[in-house]
Structures are given as structure tokens and as C-alpha cells.
């Protein structure tokens, strides 16, 4: 059963409670580093950062650093860098997808225009790289540079998949691994790395992040056909309108009736949302949502296994709670 809005926020609060002071420090870094002499940059970047969000990626960096006993302050910089990169991808994504709603508010592109959103996204990317240099760790720069490059490849892969009803499950999972899971992976990996963990532990942290990110994205796919706009903070059915063949649709094309398969193929090709209710019923009846949720659960279980050797601490408890949170949430 999905978490209610109240229990969702209570769970999120419990997960981040051990790093509350660290998160306050990260928010201070974000506010300081967002400053620009160009007023429009300040306006747009503050608009999207202040929209909130779950801040899962910076949370991963902080929890993994603490789980490995880190006592410095570089993890605050790293967490802010990861959040800046994520925010930049959101700005660019919403322009590409022509989205009008995110986190329950108008998207930046809807409010300020496409050109301004793209350019402020570029500002956030470049500011993130300035902050990377200030840490003075070549391995940190390599991980983040590789991650941003792979994310960009994932964006292009998704673009190639748009309006293509022949996308396979493996092709779609490749998009998830590149576009979404890679930044989760980098955040977790950096947390362990900055703490001076052994190489095997750094690798395990990366695997944890990768699988957790996969679980989060698959549940997002489920919510696009089972949530409601007020809870998930975006328009339900956006994936279909944008011609995105996500896992529930791929499953239905493979397992639905001939009429259902043809309808889904046609709607993906045209971005036709007029038949959304009909497709929603078919998705629910076919078991596509259960199939996708089970895939998310498998990924979450693999994430749990990746950190099984961590010492038992409140930070490890939060990392394990995140695995359940990823699968059980309703937005």
C-alpha cells in the first residue's frame, strides 16, 4: 500500500533526521552558491530550488559520508553540487518535454520561457563544476564529470525513444540507468569516497545508489498512471502525452489484447492523450503496474544488499528506510 501524504512526510523526516544539521549546512551552501550578478539567474534558480522536492540525491551523499565516519565538511559541498546538477537537468527536461507543471507549481519554462530556462540550467551546471574544482580532488571531478556526460547521453537516448512503440524493456532500462540512476549512483559513491572508505565500499555505495535510483524511476512510471496531479506534483498522463514508452506501456504492448496493443502503439506514435482513460484501464487490468512495481522492488532489494556490510548505525538505518520509501511512496 502506498504511503499517504501524511505518512510520506513523516517517513521522509525520519530518514533525514540523523543528517538534519548537515542538510541545514547544505541549504546554506546552496543559497550562497546560487548568487549571481544577473538578476534573472537569481530569480529562476531560486524559484526552482525553493520548489522543494525530496532532495534524495544530496541526502545520499550525506548519509553515505556519515555511515563511513566522515568528520569533515566537503560532503556539504558535494551534496550541493549534486543538487545543482539535478536542478539543471530538471530545467532542461521540462523544456524538452514541454512540461507545464512540476512539484505542484508552474515549471520555470512555463513561467520564464524556454530560452531563460535552458540558459539558467547551463549556469547551474557550470557553477557545479566551479564548486567541484574548489574541493581539489581529481577523483571527485572524474565521477561528477562522467556522471553529467552519461546523464546527457541518457537524455538523448530518451529523445530517440520518444514516439517509438518498438522500444524494448532493455532499451528503456538503459535510459533509466543513464538518465536517472547515474546521479543517484554518483551521489552515494561520492559520500563513501570523501569519507576515505575502501575501494570495495565505494563500489558498494555506487551500486546502492544505482539500484535505488532505478527503483525511484520505476515507481515514478507507476505513479504517472496511478497517482493524482495534486500528490505527484505534475500532470498525470504526461508520459503518454509526450510519447514516452515507459515500462507500464511497454508491458501492455507485449501482453495486452491485439486491440489494446494497437491503441497503445498509436497513442505513443502520436502523443494522443484523448484515449488516456481507456489506456489507463487497460494498464490496470493487464497487471502492468504490478509488473513495474515488482521491478522497482527488486531494484530496492539489490540496493539493500549492496550496503549489507556497513556497520549498524542510524545512518545505515536511514539508507535502508530509503529503499522501502522508494517503493511505497505515493508521490
Amino acid at each position: 500500500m502506498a504511503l499517504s501524504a501524511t505518512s510520506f512526510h513523516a517517513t521522509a523526516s525520519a530518514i533525514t533526521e540523523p543528517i538534519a544539521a548537515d542538510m541545514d549546512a547544505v541549504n546554506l551552501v546552496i543559497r550562497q552558491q546560487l548568487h549571481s550578478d544577473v538578476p534573472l539567474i537569481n530569480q529562476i534558480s531560486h524559484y526552482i530550488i525553493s520548489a522543494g522536492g525530496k532532495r534524495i540525491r544530496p541526502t545520499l551523499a550525506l548519509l553515505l559520508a556519515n555511515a563511513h565516519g566522515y568528520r569533515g565538511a566537503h560532503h556539504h559541498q558535494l551534496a550541493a553540487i549534486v543538487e545543482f546538477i539535478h536542478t539543471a537537468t530538471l530545467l532542461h527536461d521540462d523544456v524538452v518535454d514541454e512540461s507545464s507543471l512540476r512539484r505542484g507549481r508552474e515549471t520555470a519554462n512555463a513561467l520564464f520561457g524556454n530560452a531563460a530556462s535552458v540558459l539558467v540550467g547551463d549556469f547551474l551546471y557550470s557553477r557545479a563544476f566551479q564548486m567541484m574544482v574548489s574541493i581539489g580532488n581529481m577523483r571527485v571531478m572524474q565521477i561528477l564529470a562522467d556522471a553529467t556526460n552519461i546523464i546527457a547521453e541518457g537524455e538523448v537516448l530518451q529523445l530517440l525513444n520518444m514516439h517509438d512503440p518498438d522500444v524494448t524493456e532493455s532499451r528503456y532500462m538503459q535510459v533509466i540507468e543513464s538518465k536517472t540512476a547515474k546521479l543517484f549512483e554518483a551521489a552515494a559513491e561520492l559520500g563513501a569516497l570523501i569519507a576515505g572508505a575502501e575501494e570495495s565500499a565505494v563500489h558498494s555505495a555506487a551500486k546502492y545508489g544505482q539500484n535505488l535510483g532505478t527503483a525511484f524511476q520505476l515507481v515514478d512510471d507507476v505513479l504517472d498512471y496511478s497517482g493524482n496531479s495534486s500528490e505527484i506534483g505534475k500532470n498525470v498522463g504526461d508520459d503518454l502525452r509526450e510519447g514516452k514508452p515507459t515500462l507500464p506501456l511497454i508491458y501492455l504492448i507485449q501482453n495486452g489484447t491485439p486491440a489494446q496493443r494497437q491503441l497503445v502503439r498509436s497513442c505513443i506514435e502520436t502523443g494522443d492523450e484523448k484515449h488516456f482513460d481507456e489506456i489507463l484501464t487497460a494498464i490496470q487490468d493487464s497487471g502492468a503496474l504490478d509488473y513495474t512495481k515488482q521491478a522497482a522492488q527488486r531494484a530496492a532489494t539489490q540496493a539493500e544488499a549492496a550496503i549489507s556490510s556497513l556497520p549498524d548505525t542510524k545512518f545505515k538505518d536511514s539508507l535502508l528506510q530509503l529503499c522501502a520509501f522508494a517503493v511505497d511512496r505515493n508521490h
Side-chain angles (χ1 to χ4, degrees):
M1 180 181 294
L3 294 170
S4 68
T6 300
S7 60
F8 177 95
H9 290 297
T11 302
S13 178
I15 289 170
T16 58
E17 190 277 331
I19 54 166
D22 282 331
M23 193 61 80
D24 287 341
V26 172
N27 289 332
L28 178 60
V29 172
I30 287 173
R31 287 195 297 272
Q32 292 171 337
Q33 294 293 335
L34 276 180
H35 176 73
S36 168
D37 292 333
V38 180
L40 184 59
I41 290 177
N42 292 326
Q43 187 178 4
I44 296 176
S45 56
H46 279 287
Y47 177 79
I48 190 166
I49 288 285
S50 67
K54 292 178 281 293
R55 296 277 174 93
I56 297 297
R57 296 155 190 82
T59 294
L60 290 184
L62 298 175
L63 285 174
L64 264 301
N66 280 284
H68 287 284
Y70 184 60
R71 292 295 177 265
H74 280 318
H75 60 326
H76 300 151
Q77 286 278 107
L78 288 174
I81 289 168
V82 167
E83 186 67 7
F84 277 13
I85 292 172
H86 175 56
T87 303
T89 66
L90 297 186
L91 283 164
H92 290 169
D93 276 359
D94 287 342
V95 170
V96 171
D97 296 339
E98 300 179 2
S99 300
S100 61
L101 191 67
R102 181 180 288 280
R103 296 171 178 168
R105 303 199 305 176
E106 279 188 287
T107 54
N109 51 295
L111 202 57
F112 301 101
N114 287 342
S117 292
V118 169
L119 294 173
V120 172
D122 292 344
F123 167 82
L124 291 173
Y125 268 130
S126 57
R127 178 52 54 85
F129 275 83
Q130 287 179 321
M131 294 165 67
M132 285 178 219
V133 173
S134 72
I135 292 175
N137 184 316
M138 186 58 71
R139 179 81 180 277
V140 166
M141 292 183 65
Q142 179 184 356
I143 290 170
L144 286 166
D146 289 348
T148 52
N149 187 255
I150 289 171
I151 291 166
E153 288 182 335
E155 297 282 5
V156 177
L157 283 173
Q158 178 171 271
L159 188 65
L160 292 173
N161 286 353
M162 299 277 267
H163 302 292
D164 182 358
D166 294 317
V167 170
T168 62
E169 182 171 338
S170 62
R171 271 176 64 187
Y172 178 62
M173 293 304 295
Q174 184 182 3
V175 170
I176 288 181
E177 289 169 10
S178 301
K179 182 176 177 291
T180 302
K182 190 62 184 180
L183 194 54
F184 278 75
E185 176 186 332
E189 184 177 11
L190 289 169
L193 176 70
I194 205 69
E198 293 183 3
E199 192 60 35
S200 60
V202 173
H203 177 73
S204 294
K207 293 299 292 182
Y208 169 86
Q210 179 193 49
N211 283 293
L212 185 71
T214 299
F216 260 92
Q217 183 57 58
L218 289 170
V219 171
D220 277 352
D221 293 348
V222 169
L223 292 175
D224 199 59
Y225 294 97
S226 63
N228 63 66
S229 296
S230 63
E231 288 187 333
I232 66 176
K234 68 171 189 172
N235 296 313
V236 173
D238 269 354
D239 289 346
L240 184 63
R241 177 181 61 79
E242 293 159 11
K244 287 182 183 177
T246 58
L247 192 54
L249 291 179
I250 293 168
Y251 180 89
L252 183 57
I253 288 174
Q254 294 173 342
N255 297 279
T257 66
Q260 289 171 339
R261 292 199 293 267
Q262 184 54 47
L263 177 62
V264 173
R265 291 180 65 87
S266 174
C267 289
I268 289 174
E269 288 173 346
T270 62
D272 174 13
E273 60 180 340
K274 293 194 298 290
H275 296 91
F276 177 75
D277 289 343
E278 190 175 347
I279 288 177
L280 179 58
T281 299
I283 284 175
Q284 292 170 339
D285 291 346
S286 70
L289 296 183
D290 287 339
Y291 178 83
T292 306
K293 191 78 174 283
Q294 288 165 10
Q297 182 60 67
R298 286 194 299 273
T301 300
Q302 290 172 340
E304 291 176 353
I307 58 168
S308 60
S309 62
L310 272 178
D312 291 332
T313 63
K314 60 185 177 181
F315 307 110
K316 181 181 179 179
D317 288 344
S318 287
L319 290 166
L320 293 173
Q321 288 175 52
L322 265 174
C323 296
F325 177 81
V327 178
D328 293 335
R329 62 200 173 88
N330 62 3
H331 62 301

